[in-house]
Amino acid sequence: MSTDESRHQQLTTNVIRLPPGCTFGPKHRISPHGITLIIPSTKARTEDEEDLPVIWVDFTPGSPNDPFHFSSTRKLVIMSLVLFFAFITTWEMSSYSISGNSLRSDLRVSQVQTALGLSLYGWGFAVGPLVLAPITEEYGRYLVMIISVVCYTLLHIMLALASNIETVQAGRFLMGLTGCIGPTLTPGFIADMYSPKERALPMALFTFVLLAGPAIGATTMGFVEANESLGWRWVNWIQLIIMGAFTPLAIFGLRETRSLVIVERLAANFRYERQLQDGGRYTARSEVEKLPLGRALQRSVSRPFLFLVMEPIVTFFALWTAIVWGVYFIVIAGLPFVFSELHGWSIQITGLAYLAVAAGSGIGLLGNFVQDSIYRRRVQKDGTEAGLWGSMVAGVLFAIGCFVFGASSTPEASWFGPCAGTALVLASAFTILQCCLLYLANCYGAFASSAIAGMSFMRIMVGSSFAIFTDSMFNNLTVRYSLIMMGGIALILAPIPFVFFFKGPWIREHSPISKKLIEEETRRLDEILPVGNDIGGKEESVRQSAV
């Protein structure tokens, strides 16, 4: 009996004994480096190549290995940990800013040099996701997250012991590079574990901690800054203590949620345990023609830029959120300027003014439930665009909030005006970011991290740069006209969600990237979202538009 006939007979007799979720596929050409061709070509194979049937490895329906089917407890633990890391990294934006006076006094540096530390932190946030987030899509989220948490924790020692501003600036940039993983990967964790109709609340909580973090950081660290025996160094020591307690929780509490990586590991285990005894090579579909590490990284790093340049959805949302984030930095910098310089408040009371930021974020979180209710009622008619209703309203309210903050930023005006404007700006910014993040997660599914990394790159690079010239802008234009000017720009950009609401399906239909990337998650959703269920509607019951 020939070798091929023997393998065919073995295949026939063993097919019923394949592990659950495994099925036979056609022959593929195997090289020492893995599968190189989908179907063996007519080209003669080399001595180190072999044509073998493959055994596809997939999740079984309802498999507990599939992140969609993790237990509620496991999902809650994972989300709590990633949300806390996202929170602490945004908390440290304002904690650095509020401790700027003691830092300048201790190191004898200028306001611009100190503000550069805030911008460098933001720039690290912008650059880091371009490399780290796509790598997690290729090789998994858990390892990158844990390495980032450990490095971020240790960098606090560098800042707390810094003897010059250059060390502080370098440390701040490195902290941005490592800390960016928290806010960047959270939408990816959400997309990994929750179906589109379940993502609204987790994404809203993410947006809340993203915007409320600086408010809580400034409020709490303002009291540390006001204590002459503590100051900016103890701000870093306190944050080191918090991160030191969090790190072991992250190591033992987090799990891998990238489904392609999990399936590839299952296939690798089967290859090790069963080898070729079942008549084929156990293989994950994502392993076919998988690139070597160097080329894979090159493709991964370029993917966010590809999204940013080639996907109009990402491009225009990036432009819009860049202005939103820039105004956010102006408000964070403007509050101490208004209340300390114009109203003569102490540093402790000025820190309490940041509660307006938390209040605005809280209002935005409550508004998310209204937006989610609208989404559920309108999804059958509007498809994925049902998630844009809140952003259409928030775009206009955001501009109004800027006008209110600016108009009331005078010594004669009540303190309530800037606080009310701040709350309105933050509530609107919350809704805008929440809708943009959720819309991108629904459009790009398992590749949401790359799409969001592209948007975040422009958003954070532009927004963080505002910190450098905010004081100069306040001195030249005053806070009043600076915010009024930004309100005018925001009003010009407000029509963006209206365009995507009416033209979003057409734009996605003509986007080759979007069409290609939804195939993976559509296959996964087929296991849990039967055709014709209650989230149906236009665009094949929203299945394509939902992912």
Side-chain angles (χ1 to χ4, degrees):
M1 182 181 294
S2 67
T3 302
D4 287 344
E5 290 175 344
S6 176
R7 282 182 177 153
H8 178 73
Q9 180 178 356
Q10 186 179 11
L11 181 156
T12 303
T13 58
N14 288 350
V15 65
I16 61 172
R17 295 201 296 270
L18 291 180
C22 298
T23 56
F24 279 101
K27 285 186 176 182
H28 287 59
R29 181 151 295 170
I30 313 296
S31 73
H33 306 291
I35 298 180
T36 58
L37 296 175
I38 296 178
I39 301 293
S41 66
T42 56
K43 180 181 177 181
R45 64 173 183 256
T46 61
E47 292 182 358
D48 59 352
E49 293 179 339
E50 187 176 7
D51 292 342
L52 291 174
V54 298
I55 302 175
W56 296 127
V57 179
D58 292 295
F59 290 130
T60 57
S63 170
N65 292 318
D66 187 346
F68 269 152
H69 300 292
F70 281 174
S71 68
S72 298
T73 301
R74 175 168 289 187
K75 288 183 179 181
L76 179 61
V77 170
I78 293 173
M79 284 307 306
S80 298
L81 292 171
V82 297
L83 285 174
F84 181 82
F85 189 43
F87 162 76
I88 203 70
T89 58
T90 57
W91 178 29
E92 297 197 12
M93 290 183 180
S94 60
S95 64
Y96 174 85
S97 180
I98 201 73
S99 61
N101 287 336
S102 61
L103 186 150
R104 287 192 294 272
S105 176
D106 186 18
L107 300 183
R108 295 181 175 83
V109 293
S110 67
Q111 170 65 35
V112 174
Q113 289 175 302
T114 305
L116 185 58
L118 182 60
S119 294
L120 286 167
Y121 187 76
W123 293 341
F125 259 67
V127 174
L130 298 179
V131 178
L132 299 177
I135 288 177
T136 67
E137 293 176 350
E138 298 285 346
Y139 302 104
R141 308 198 194 280
Y142 174 83
L143 183 61
V144 176
M145 177 68 105
I146 295 303
I147 292 175
S148 297
V149 168
V150 171
C151 293
Y152 187 81
T153 301
L154 295 177
L155 283 168
H156 286 86
I157 301 175
M158 176 180 178
L159 264 69
L161 299 177
S163 59
N164 54 63
I165 191 62
E166 290 79 14
T167 303
V168 172
Q169 292 171 346
R172 291 288 294 177
F173 180 72
L174 293 174
M175 286 181 68
L177 283 177
T178 55
C180 72
I181 280 298
T184 300
L185 282 194
T186 300
F189 277 101
I190 293 172
D192 288 341
M193 296 189 296
Y194 297 97
S195 64
K197 68 176 183 179
E198 299 173 318
R199 290 173 186 163
L201 179 58
M203 198 68 80
L205 292 174
F206 166 61
T207 310
F208 175 77
V209 302
L210 197 67
L211 295 178
I216 299 174
T219 302
T220 54
M221 294 299 105
F223 290 94
V224 178
E225 167 68 7
N227 190 323
E228 294 182 358
S229 62
L230 298 178
W232 71 278
R233 294 188 187 276
W234 264 101
V235 168
N236 287 282
W237 286 124
I238 291 171
Q239 290 165 169
L240 173 65
I241 294 170
I242 294 172
M243 286 301 301
F246 170 74
T247 299
L249 296 177
I251 292 173
F252 295 107
L254 290 176
R255 295 291 186 273
E256 181 58 62
T257 63
R258 177 68 172 153
S259 61
L260 294 182
V261 173
I262 296 174
V263 173
E264 288 177 5
R265 291 174 182 173
L266 288 174
N269 288 337
F270 286 139
R271 286 196 295 270
Y272 176 76
E273 295 172 356
R274 307 175 74 95
Q275 299 186 14
L276 299 177
Q277 70 182 38
D278 295 322
R281 180 185 190 271
Y282 284 92
T283 305
R285 298 176 192 273
S286 57
E287 292 180 299
V288 176
E289 296 186 315
K290 190 168 186 177
L291 297 175
L293 177 61
R295 292 176 60 192
L297 291 180
Q298 182 180 7
R299 182 184 65 179
S300 298
V301 171
S302 64
R303 187 183 293 146
F305 287 107
L306 187 64
F307 275 82
L308 186 60
V309 174
M310 300 297 294
E311 289 290 295
I313 297 172
V314 180
T315 303
F316 284 98
F317 278 177
L319 176 63
W320 191 25
T321 56
I323 298 299
V324 170
W325 203 244
V327 173
Y328 175 75
F329 269 87
I330 290 176
V331 169
I332 293 297
L335 284 174
F337 193 95
V338 168
F339 292 112
S340 295
E341 299 291 333
L342 301 183
H343 291 280
W345 289 11
S346 67
I347 189 67
Q348 298 100 316
I349 304 302
T350 298
L352 292 176
Y354 280 88
L355 291 176
V357 177
S361 300
I363 295 171
L365 179 61
L366 294 176
N368 167 75
F369 295 102
V370 178
Q371 165 60 55
D372 188 45
S373 176
I374 294 173
Y375 178 85
R376 292 177 181 275
R377 291 199 310 269
R378 300 283 305 183
V379 67
Q380 292 187 2
K381 181 178 180 180
D382 299 333
T384 300
E385 281 63 40
L388 293 176
W389 280 93
S391 64
M392 291 189 288
V393 176
V396 178
L397 293 179
F398 182 79
I400 294 175
C402 292
F403 293 142
V404 171
F405 189 108
S408 58
S409 295
T410 62
E412 300 80 17
S414 169
W415 61 268
F416 181 78
C419 289
T422 296
L424 187 55
V425 165
L426 266 294
S428 303
F430 180 105
T431 303
I432 292 169
L433 290 176
Q434 156 74 0
C435 290
C436 290
L437 291 170
L438 188 59
Y439 191 72
L440 290 181
N442 288 343
C443 286
Y444 300 106
F447 287 89
S449 290
S450 285
I452 292 172
M455 183 187 78
S456 298
F457 176 78
M458 178 180 289
R459 171 173 62 88
I460 299 176
M461 284 295 290
V462 174
S464 300
S465 300
F466 280 52
I468 299 177
F469 57 80
T470 294
D471 276 3
S472 298
M473 183 169 62
F474 287 167
N475 291 327
N476 293 324
L477 295 179
T478 72
V479 177
R480 163 178 281 190
Y481 292 108
S482 296
L483 267 298
I484 290 176
M485 178 184 68
M486 298 310 299
I489 297 174
L491 196 60
I492 294 173
L493 297 176
I496 287 177
F498 290 88
V499 173
F500 285 104
F501 180 83
F502 292 105
K503 295 296 182 180
W506 182 89
I507 293 172
R508 292 198 309 278
E509 182 182 349
H510 290 78
S511 169
I513 297 176
S514 182
K515 290 170 64 176
K516 180 179 179 181
L517 295 181
I518 66 174
E519 293 177 357
E520 172 199 338
E521 189 160 331
T522 299
R523 180 173 60 84
R524 294 178 64 206
L525 289 174
D526 283 338
E527 301 176 2
I528 61 173
L529 299 178
V531 175
N533 66 8
D534 63 352
I535 69 164
K538 71 176 188 176
E539 299 183 65
E540 192 185 337
S541 301
V542 198
R543 299 177 72 79
Q544 273 80 14
S545 65
V547 298

